[in-house]
Amino acid sequence: DAKTTQPNSMESNEEEPVHLPCNHSTISGTDYIHWYRQLPSQGPEYVIHGLTSNVNNRMASLAIAEDRKSSTLILHRATLRDAAVYYCILRATGGGNKLTFGTGTQLKVEL
Amino acid sequence: GAGVSQSPSNKVTEKGKDVELRCDPISGHTALYWYRQSLGQGLEFLIYFQGNSAPDKSGLPSDRFSAERTGGSVSTLTIQRTQQEDSAVYLCASSLGRQGSTEAFFGQGTRLTVV
């Protein structure tokens, strides 16, 4: 599986936007970019995914670089409930494509 | 059900005993995954099912670990002769298919403690 690189931790203030970066320089043309998050003492939760175009849903936005070697998860207004570990994962189009979790980014949200 | 269901939510067992962990995936989801997460650690892949077949068992740590899936639905992860290092949260996930465009949905996990 192609690897992703994320900062270990980030901090944000409540009600402010948060931009979580992810580098995936070895991404292949058929890899989808997935984001999951894991709140304390819970299983991971799907956030968003995309292939080439930017994506929006009720939880977040995903901005994908034109060369697809990086992406950014955008939380438009962080709340205390968004404090979690955020994982950026590449999922291949074919094969078993197990989700391979790295260490993710621990997001801390402060008042 | 509405989501992935795992049971039991907590299990305490004595070293050397066998345990069975159950996963009920979302109805219609053909792909099913087992992971484990030790305290403060990341998620470690164990096994993947497509239907009732397991094309990828590469993450099972030893032959004490086995899993099966029946009827393309429920899956059971069995750990024989449990050891203290098996203590972890065991997570199950399912997805509609194995394509890269499909998202995975996780259960809340089974917290296993071996004493």
Side-chain angles (χ1 to χ4, degrees):
Chain A
D1 296 329
K3 281 194 65 176
T4 63
T5 305
Q6 300 177 253
N8 287 334
S9 64
M10 292 186 65
E11 293 185 6
S12 173
N13 294 319
E14 203 176 18
E15 303 293 314
E16 305 240 330
V18 181
H19 290 229
L20 298 166
C22 180
N23 287 320
H24 28 79
S25 58
T26 60
I27 190 170
S28 77
T30 55
D31 285 342
Y32 281 78
I33 302 159
H34 284 243
W35 284 81
Y36 289 77
R37 71 179 186 180
Q38 188 172 22
L39 280 65
S41 302
Q42 294 193 26
E45 172 188 32
Y46 166 79
V47 178
I48 199 166
H49 75 277
L51 184 62
T52 56
S53 302
N54 295 344
V55 184
N56 300 298
N57 67 20
R58 63 174 180 82
M59 289 182 70
S61 296
L62 176 59
I64 301 172
E66 197 169 330
D67 63 6
R68 300 206 331 124
K69 293 185 177 183
S70 66
S71 61
T72 302
L73 179 71
I74 303 165
L75 306 179
H76 295 287
R77 290 179 67 197
T79 71
L80 296 177
R81 288 171 297 188
D82 291 322
V85 179
Y86 286 79
Y87 297 97
C88 168
I89 298 162
L90 302 181
R91 193 168 195 203
T93 295
N97 42 62
K98 59 182 184 272
L99 296 166
T100 301
F101 286 80
T103 53
T105 297
Q106 173 71 63
L107 176 65
K108 301 174 186 176
V109 181
E110 299 176 342
L111 290 170
Chain B
V4 177
S5 178
Q6 293 187 246
S7 60
S9 54
N10 280 285
K11 175 73 176 179
V12 180
T13 190
E14 292 181 353
K15 179 181 171 182
K17 295 282 179 71
D18 298 351
V19 294
E20 281 190 357
L21 312 180
R22 177 186 169 106
C23 173
D24 279 277
I26 294 173
S27 178
H29 280 196
T30 61
L32 186 148
Y33 307 82
W34 282 98
Y35 291 81
R36 76 174 175 181
Q37 188 170 33
S38 301
L39 188 63
Q41 302 298 310
L43 279 84
E44 175 189 6
F45 167 79
L46 298 178
I47 187 170
Y48 151 67
F49 286 92
Q50 181 61 36
N52 293 334
S53 301
D56 189 350
K57 307 179 184 178
S58 62
L60 293 178
S62 75
D63 58 8
R64 295 188 295 105
F65 288 72
S66 63
E68 66 174 11
R69 189 178 185 195
T70 56
S73 181
V74 172
S75 177
T76 303
L77 178 68
T78 301
I79 309 173
Q80 295 178 310
R81 305 181 301 282
T82 52
Q83 304 295 312
Q84 287 184 329
E85 61 262 28
D86 299 334
S87 296
V89 176
Y90 288 80
L91 290 155
C92 175
S94 71
S95 65
L96 192 58
R98 59 182 188 176
Q99 298 84 358
S101 57
T102 57
E103 60 265 41
F105 296 86
F106 283 79
Q108 291 303 299
T110 294
R111 181 176 298 278
L112 176 67
T113 304
V114 181
V115 296

